[in-house]
């Protein structure tokens, strides 16, 4: 469930989409397949070994031009399958809590 009470929509593909993962500093790049995606996370299949790659934080490139991308972190690895979580930007606006909304209405 998401914060607003709606269930997150997850799209699972019958055939994976070709995408890439790339280090934040650009030191490595690996082709992979996007198998499923939601607003918060995704499942990827990576051919070959991912040992030695720093997957604490990286980009998922959704287009061949590199213009569409999401910052990610690794959640789980099972053989060639990876689960990743999308990271919010450093300057993302936080939603005001219910108590702060109430305070604004009272002023």
């Amino acid at each position: 469930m998401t914060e607003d009470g709606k269930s997150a929509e997850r799209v699972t593909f019958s055939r994976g989409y070709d995408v890439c993962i790339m280090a934040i500093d650009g030191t490595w790049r690996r082709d992979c397949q996007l198998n499923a995606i939601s607003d918060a996370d995704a499942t990827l299949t990576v051919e070959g070994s991912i040992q030695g790659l720093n997957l604490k934080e990286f980009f998922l490139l959704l287009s061949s031009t590199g213009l569409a991308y999401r910052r990610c972190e690794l959640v789980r690895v099972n053989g060639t399958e990876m689960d990743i979580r999308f990271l919010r930007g450093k300057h993302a606006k936080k939603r005001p809590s219910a108590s702060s909304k109430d305070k604004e209405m009272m002023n």
Side-chain angles (χ1 to χ4, degrees):
M1 286 261 189
T2 59
E3 291 176 16
D4 58 3
K6 296 178 184 174
S7 60
E9 290 187 33
R10 184 169 196 79
V11 178
T12 303
F13 306 108
S14 57
R15 258 182 30 190
Y17 277 101
D18 290 332
V19 294
C20 290
I21 55 176
M22 184 177 74
I24 294 290
D25 62 4
T27 56
W28 56 262
R29 182 174 170 144
R30 184 69 56 88
D31 291 333
C32 54
Q33 296 254 313
L34 177 65
N35 300 324
I37 193 168
S38 73
D39 285 342
D41 57 17
T43 303
L44 307 172
T45 302
V46 180
E47 291 302 320
S49 173
I50 59 171
Q51 288 183 339
L53 298 180
N54 180 4
L55 295 174
K56 184 177 270 186
E57 188 174 329
F58 58 94
F59 287 125
L60 173 64
L61 303 179
L62 300 171
S63 72
S64 59
T65 63
L67 296 176
Y69 62 89
R70 295 287 303 267
R71 284 179 52 224
C72 312
E73 67 180 350
L74 181 66
V75 176
R76 181 186 69 90
V77 176
N78 183 12
T80 61
E81 189 173 284
M82 296 171 39
D83 290 342
I84 61 171
R85 179 181 307 124
F86 295 130
L87 299 173
R88 292 178 178 229
K90 290 182 180 178
H91 304 293
K93 294 181 182 177
K94 294 182 180 178
R95 293 182 183 174
S97 64
S99 60
S100 65
K101 286 182 182 176
D102 293 340
K103 288 178 187 175
E104 288 177 14
M105 294 177 84
M106 295 178 83
N107 289 335

